Amino acid sequence: MNARPPELHSPEALAERKAYYERIGQGSMTPLWEVLGALVPPQPRSPAVPHHWAYADVRSQVMEAGQLISAAEAERRVLILENPALRGQSCITQSLYAGLQLIMPGEVAPAHRHTQTALRLVLDGEGAYTAVDGERTTMRRGDFIITPAWTWHDHGNLGQEPVVWLDGLDIPIVRFLDAGFAEKSESEYQAETRPEGDALARYGSNMVPVDFYQQPAEPTKVFVYPWERTIASLKAVARGTPEAHFGHKQRYVNPATGRSPMPTMAAFSQLLPAGFETQPYRCTDGTVYVCLQGSAQASVEGRDYTLQENDVLVVPSWHSLQLRAGPETVLFSYSDRPVQQALGLWREQRA
């Protein structure tokens, strides 16, 4: 007669399971039933946490980096904004990177290119430029600038003061896919092949060249979205009634396709009228916010943060967000929404 099997939760049964797991582990296997709840959760459980970087507190440390290492030696002099729950991974959410880049007067951050897509949001100082595939653009506060994947780009500062901008990249996405390539230019900076403003004139004025056709996945040819145009658009739409969850929120698009300017990252600007308070909102795309004008109180899952100009706030996936403006406030934000939408994964919830 066969021996009676041990009770499912008896010490003997648990010891037998443990021994079994150890045996199959030697063959690089593991039991799904032990991890199923974490792999297929009932709702997103991001390992990232909300966090706020006050620019008034970190600016001195950014400037200190300018005395410790040159832009040429560093290639890119950047302080990475690491999510406190993801330290050592160089990311602000599971899929996004953020950093504060500094370039001092007279410096050049040498030309290179890579498969990671980058955005720049100018925060502090004047006189710098970014060059993308042979065209320079002067960097002004609030400008949103793109360096598409595998385009040559360099930065320089022809002015008299340090310039700081926020870098946002899809580094974690590219790293996850093992698809990263990079190349340094033999020249420190690119030769100018097009006059400043050429791309904006050709592709950003509700017209494109007659023989231009673009595939949906290709990045925008418009690589700079000037602050003066952004704020003018927001002010114009703000004459209407604010939406309860966003105030007046616009998303940046590739004018040739109507899609996101970048295949992997979306970017947004929103205006909150003075004293306006949004209704609770959450979505699956973890989002990085930057306060460009005014000030606001942000509540993330009940925890409050005060946003002043140039402050950065990360709101992880499926975390409820409410905003309350002090004076009229403008926020820039970016996320991985295009990737989620392309895969049919993106969701939102409006309370």
Side-chain angles (χ1 to χ4, degrees), residues 92-297:
I92 194 166
T93 72
Q94 287 273 76
S95 60
L96 298 175
Y97 162 104
L100 296 174
Q101 182 164 172
L102 167 68
I103 188 164
M104 302 294 286
E107 287 188 327
V108 171
H112 67 194
R113 62 179 179 174
H114 40 69
T115 47
Q116 295 83 357
T117 297
L119 66 85
R120 329 285 178 189
L121 181 70
V122 186
L123 299 180
D124 193 354
E126 295 183 352
Y129 68 83
T130 284
V132 177
D133 271 354
E135 181 181 339
R136 287 186 179 184
T137 185
T138 302
M139 303 177 80
R140 299 178 176 87
R141 187 173 186 282
D143 286 356
F144 162 45
I145 299 167
I146 298 169
T147 53
W150 210 240
T151 56
W152 291 108
H153 55 281
D154 57 86
H155 315 288
N157 188 345
L158 304 176
Q160 304 300 314
E161 59 188 47
V163 176
V164 179
W165 62 84
L166 178 83
D167 283 331
L169 286 89
D170 56 6
I171 287 174
I173 296 174
V174 176
R175 179 174 59 199
F176 175 78
L177 296 171
D178 289 333
F181 293 87
E183 183 179 354
K184 296 182 180 180
S185 174
E186 295 180 357
S187 175
E188 187 177 46
Y189 54 87
Q190 304 172 64
E192 293 185 62
T193 59
R194 302 191 308 272
E196 182 167 350
D198 183 81
L200 196 59
R202 289 179 188 273
Y203 306 100
S205 301
N206 297 318
M207 296 185 292
V208 295
V210 65
D211 57 353
F212 174 75
Y213 296 94
Q214 189 170 39
Q215 295 299 317
E218 293 178 341
T220 178
K221 294 290 185 180
V222 176
F223 68 94
V224 57
Y225 293 74
W227 165 250
E228 61 181 13
R229 290 195 180 189
T230 296
I231 194 64
S233 175
L234 290 174
K235 292 280 191 180
V237 299
R239 291 196 290 265
T241 303
E243 200 281 330
H245 298 84
F246 307 121
H248 304 283
K249 188 169 185 176
Q250 301 282 93
R251 64 181 176 91
Y252 293 94
V253 299
N254 176 348
T257 65
R259 295 174 179 264
S260 170
M262 302 160 288
T264 51
M265 293 185 289
F268 313 86
S269 278
Q270 69 188 109
L271 184 149
L272 303 175
F276 182 79
E277 183 171 358
T278 65
Q279 294 298 305
Y281 174 82
R282 61 181 177 178
C283 53
T284 53
D285 50 323
T287 304
V288 180
Y289 289 85
V290 184
C291 182
L292 283 177
Q293 179 179 295
S295 63
Q297 296 292 317

